[in-house]
Amino acid sequence: MSETRRTSTTTPGGPVSHFFEDAVSNTRFWWLLLITGAAWIVLSIVILRFDYTTVAAVAVLFGVYCLVAAVNEIAIGAMSSSAGWRIAHGLLAALLVVVGVVSLMNLGATFASLAAIVSFYFVFRGCFDVVMALAGSAVPGWWVLLICGLIELGLGFWAAGSWNFSVLILVAWVAAGALLHGIGEIALAFQIHQGRRGITAIEGLADRLGVTDHSAPDAAVPTR
């Protein structure tokens, strides 16, 4: 004689469940930002150890720096838990590509013109980091990214208004940009990690309250 036994299959269910799963999945590689942040800091030290004698050499240095930073922003965008931030990082990456290409195309640039390109970068990068810091102000450590953004804004206005240009100052600006980038990236890594832990905790609470539904309709399995 045959009987029918009902079993449950676990499958993702509901928009709330999908939201939590996407957020946790996108932020699981937060630790990569620690590695790239440390690499940026090391790069800032390496930059200062080379001897640059012409504006063209600094233009190449800054152009390559912007292109590498653009790739970095695309990677950070891929780890963002919201579509809005992914778009924002994508737009910043596109801007960095434009600035990098402009710098590489102006190998005969003067001190003033290269300083203008550098100031443009610092102002927009600083604004972006300040906005990111304020948006994540609920997460501990947000003020580190805020300080980095404010320093970048200060460097941008300095580059735009200073008349005392030299190769040494230009190289120092690029090195400072790499250093601030690294510090900001490490701070962002810990912010993402804290946010990931918060999302996981909220997901557990939602499961206990029955807000999420991870079960599909029971399937009938014949047995003897």
Side-chain angles (χ1 to χ4, degrees):
M1 183 175 181
S2 298
E3 296 176 350
T4 301
R5 179 163 52 91
R6 302 186 73 82
T7 60
S8 296
T9 355
T10 300
T11 56
V16 177
S17 297
H18 284 301
F19 167 78
F20 285 127
E21 289 166 4
D22 289 344
V24 173
S25 175
N26 289 333
T27 57
R28 68 186 184 277
F29 295 119
W30 65 272
W31 51 270
L32 287 175
L33 293 179
L34 293 177
I35 298 175
T36 55
W40 279 110
I41 294 174
V42 171
L43 178 62
S44 69
I45 298 172
V46 172
I47 287 173
L48 293 174
R49 295 188 63 85
F50 282 91
D51 184 22
Y52 300 92
T53 57
T54 64
V55 179
V58 183
V60 171
L61 170 66
F62 185 65
V64 172
Y65 164 83
C66 288
L67 295 180
V68 174
V71 175
N72 197 182
E73 287 302 321
I74 293 173
I76 295 175
M79 285 183 276
S80 298
S81 58
S82 70
W85 280 116
R86 286 195 288 272
I87 293 173
H89 282 287
L91 292 174
L92 179 60
L95 177 64
L96 287 170
V97 170
V98 171
V99 174
V101 170
V102 170
S103 182
L104 290 173
M105 291 177 61
N106 285 271
L107 298 184
T110 62
F111 286 111
S113 59
L114 184 55
I117 297 173
V118 173
S119 68
F120 178 84
Y121 161 79
F122 274 125
V123 168
F124 277 88
R125 178 79 207 193
C127 290
F128 186 83
D129 285 346
V130 168
V131 171
M132 279 195 65
L134 295 177
S137 58
V139 182
W142 65 276
W143 53 271
V144 178
L145 190 58
L146 176 63
I147 291 174
C148 289
L150 292 175
I151 294 175
E152 286 167 337
L153 281 173
L155 288 173
F157 290 123
W158 177 26
S162 176
W163 295 97
N164 299 318
F165 299 119
S166 68
V167 171
L168 180 60
I169 290 178
L170 292 174
V171 172
W173 283 340
V174 179
L179 177 62
L180 292 169
H181 197 143
I183 295 173
E185 208 149 285
I186 291 174
L188 181 60
F190 284 111
Q191 280 190 296
I192 291 176
H193 179 53
Q194 291 292 333
R196 175 183 170 85
R197 291 177 60 183
I199 290 171
T200 304
I202 294 172
E203 181 182 17
L205 177 61
D207 285 339
R208 289 195 296 272
L209 294 175
V211 177
T212 56
D213 179 18
H214 294 284
S215 60
D218 294 341
V221 179
T223 185
R224 300 189 67 86

